[in-house]
Amino acid sequence: MTGEDGTGDADGDRPRRGPAANAELALLLEVAGTPKPGNVDRRRDLANLRFEQFLAGAVGARPGLERAAAGDPVGEAFETAVAGMSEQSGGNTQFGCLLLLVPLVRAAAAGDLTAEGVREVCAATTVDDAAGFYRAFEHVDVAVADPPEGLDALDVRRGADAVPALRERGATLLDVLSASAAPVDESGTPRDANAHEWVAGFPRTFRAAEAIRDDEGPVTDRAARAFLDLLAETEDTLVRTRHGAEVAREVRDRAAEVASLDEAEEWADDLVGRGINPGTTADLTAAALFVALERGVTV
Amino acid sequence: MTGEDGTGDADGDRPRRGPAANAELALLLEVAGTPKPGNVDRRRDLANLRFEQFLAGAVGARPGLERAAAGDPVGEAFETAVAGMSEQSGGNTQFGCLLLLVPLVRAAAAGDLTAEGVREVCAATTVDDAAGFYRAFEHVDVAVADPPEGLDALDVRRGADAVPALRERGATLLDVLSASAAPVDESGTPRDANAHEWVAGFPRTFRAAEAIRDDEGPVTDRAARAFLDLLAETEDTLVRTRHGAEVAREVRDRAAEVASLDEAEEWADDLVGRGINPGTTADLTAAALFVALERGVTV
């Protein structure tokens, strides 16, 4: 059970949630954070993706998160988490969240949940970890941007078929994600915001976690505010992949204008109605919730 | 990991949720079932009990549920589950659910999730299991009825202090719950509906599970309909404990009149406003969801 089942804390004989349990709880608190414009929340389902499927996705991801906490290889832990997550009928619920959570859980379990600690976890990934990441795409359909020019052989949509090309190039998981983290244009926005976290030591995750810790009230309200702040900060890269740069900028600018959760409610209905889903920002919110829970935020 | 982490099923290399994971998912689907008049659901929190605390309670319960699946003593598994559940600031979220789920998980893990199978699990409980049950009350405040006449020494509110009296009488966990299952008056309603399930082979749980399986649409909607049907069937014993027989009958009769989830929405606000919480019926709903998941209902 890798430390999840009730080792006492300083307060006595109460069990304490370990990193894998906190990561699962972060997934649940993320989907319960309301409103999160364009995403599934307590008040909204998407056309083909329901709240209950996120619950099942979080529960299913737990064994992979336990593997990350136990020190198993990052790529295997991630693939196990994604395989478990996909055991529901909605398709991809939390692939991006898990890509962020797995190294964070590993760093937390190793006792160093800091930018430096998680950077070390990412830097230590191998070609085998990259292969696990590619295999994970075979469990579920994930919306991704086209690969950078000249890297068609490493297109993640090839799944396990890309593994020989990975091995030939000796590309580690960090190498693969570095290619996805590069800016797409002169704005400096990365191709994929989750990959950028991997490369840069999770700066947005840790900042948002501090904001959640400094905030007050129910954790799901704090999650919603953190989501809006993250969305106002940088274009959501899933929105850009699906709807183009102009829509991504419009969403970012609108998020910057929203002054309260009440004001965000109406906008949430609008985005859901238009099918615009800032999913990468939800991924970052889940990662930030995990760090906040590990740093003592109480539910 | 007691079979949770990815043993393939007949369909190939996909992991399948084991009984502990399904039990945790049942807890989550229960709280997400909406509307469940008088209870926390996707649209309502109670005055001092929030949706997010049920999420944390479910995540925290998992190690105890894993112990039940692994064949650890029922009383220890239950106490572990309750201790983990109580690792959130809302107090008692799912004590009653867990009392039903632990023997059901054990029966499922043993390959016999039937009335007979769970009856055997309950019949095999020992005095040590009863002691675990009493210790569980020390982790969290639970609303319970006064003990039957002459059984003050076994009042569960005494927690571990009652254990010497348990041992003196040689009372097993099934013995303890049998006393709570006895009818309170000529209506035949048991003192505690959860205890009655233990004694009688979980008849209401299995019936409601079949109804959920035969129903259609999102599982959380099916859960809400199952809740209303269970509430219309028999007085909620938590409501009777807290508000008396008359209010319990009123709630049961009103539930019988509600013809749709839409109609239940308004009533849900009314019950929450009056502080009337049919929590035992929610416990039964969670147990029924577990059985339905084990019998193939897909989320």
Side-chain angles (χ1 to χ4, degrees), chain B residues 47 49 85 104 110 122 146 163 175 202 207 217 236 245 267 288 296:
Chain B
L49 205 47
M85 172 210 84
L104 289 168
C122 297
D146 289 330
V163 171
D175 293 335
F202 291 69
R207 270 204 310 275
D236 185 275
W267 185 39

Side-chain angles (χ1 to χ4, degrees), chain B residues 148-202:
Chain B
E149 215 161 315
L151 286 179
D152 286 347
L154 296 184
D155 188 339
V156 289
R157 290 167 291 199
R158 295 167 60 90
D161 289 347
V163 171
L166 277 177
R167 296 208 183 279
E168 197 185 315
R169 293 164 197 239
T172 69
L173 181 47
L174 181 60
D175 293 335
V176 168
L177 292 172
S178 296
S180 303
V184 277
D185 57 29
E186 67 286 352
S187 78
T189 316
R191 182 177 303 271
D192 180 83
N194 290 337
H196 182 262
E197 291 294 285
W198 262 70
V199 170
F202 291 69

Side-chain angles (χ1 to χ4, degrees), chain A:
Chain A
M1 284 304 304
T2 62
E4 294 292 317
D5 60 345
T7 37
D9 63 12
D11 291 337
D13 62 353
R14 297 207 148 211
R16 202 184 62 79
R17 280 189 305 270
N22 270 335
E24 190 201 345
L25 181 54
L27 292 172
L28 295 168
L29 292 169
E30 185 280 312
V31 73
T34 307
K36 289 192 315 299
N39 285 275
V40 171
D41 63 25
R42 248 176 106 176
R43 297 204 190 89
R44 294 162 195 87
D45 291 339
L46 302 185
N48 291 309
L49 205 46
R50 295 193 304 273
F51 191 83
E52 66 195 48
Q53 291 158 337
F54 283 80
L55 303 181
V59 169
R62 175 94 162 241
L65 295 166
E66 298 277 7
R67 290 193 69 181
D72 285 359
V74 164
E76 285 184 24
F78 177 70
E79 191 199 348
T80 302
V82 169
M85 173 209 84
S86 67
E87 278 298 290
Q88 36 76 30
S89 59
N92 179 22
T93 47
Q94 292 127 329
F95 187 100
C97 299
L98 292 170
L99 185 60
L100 297 175
L101 286 170
V102 164
L104 290 168
V105 166
R106 175 63 163 279
D112 191 11
L113 185 56
T114 62
E116 194 44 47
V118 69
R119 208 192 281 268
E120 273 174 32
V121 170
C122 297
T125 57
T126 63
V127 178
D128 282 339
D129 291 321
F133 173 71
Y134 275 74
R135 281 193 307 269
F137 283 89
E138 308 215 325
H139 295 286
V140 66
D141 280 330
V142 181
V144 293
D146 289 330
E149 215 161 315
L151 287 179
D152 285 346
L154 296 184
D155 188 338
V156 289
R157 291 167 290 199
R158 295 168 59 91
D161 289 346
V163 172
L166 279 177
R167 297 208 185 278
E168 195 185 319
R169 292 163 198 238
T172 70
L173 180 47
L174 182 61
D175 292 336
V176 168
L177 292 173
S178 295
S180 302
V184 276
D185 56 31
E186 66 285 354
S187 78
T189 315
R191 182 178 304 269
D192 180 82
N194 291 337
H196 181 261
E197 291 295 283
W198 262 71
V199 170
F202 291 69
R204 300 180 71 200
T205 298
F206 283 109
R207 272 204 310 276
E210 287 310 294
I212 289 169
R213 202 169 65 161
D214 294 343
D215 198 354
E216 290 180 346
V219 179
T220 47
D221 289 352
R222 304 189 206 185
R225 284 187 285 267
F227 171 89
L228 288 167
D229 288 346
L230 285 162
L231 193 56
E233 188 176 272
T234 308
E235 295 163 23
D236 185 274
T237 51
L238 180 64
V239 171
R240 199 182 42 208
T241 297
R242 285 187 175 158
H243 303 276
E246 196 172 334
V247 175
R249 276 195 299 272
E250 174 215 313
V251 168
R252 182 199 60 195
D253 294 346
R254 180 77 181 86
E257 290 164 14
V258 168
S260 70
L261 295 188
D262 282 345
E263 210 178 307
E265 280 290 348
E266 204 175 321
W267 186 39
D269 292 332
D270 172 51
L271 281 195
V272 168
R274 291 166 65 196
I276 295 173
N277 166 225
T280 308
T281 306
D283 299 340
L284 291 163
T285 305
L289 281 163
F290 169 71
V291 173
L293 289 170
E294 283 287 319
R295 292 184 173 177
V297 164
T298 308
V299 174

Side-chain angles (χ1 to χ4, degrees), chain B residues 24-48:
Chain B
E24 190 201 346
L25 181 55
L27 293 171
L28 295 168
L29 294 170
E30 186 280 312
V31 73
T34 308
K36 288 190 316 296
N39 286 275
V40 171
D41 62 24
R42 250 177 103 176
R43 297 204 189 90
R44 293 161 195 88
D45 291 339
L46 302 185
N48 292 307

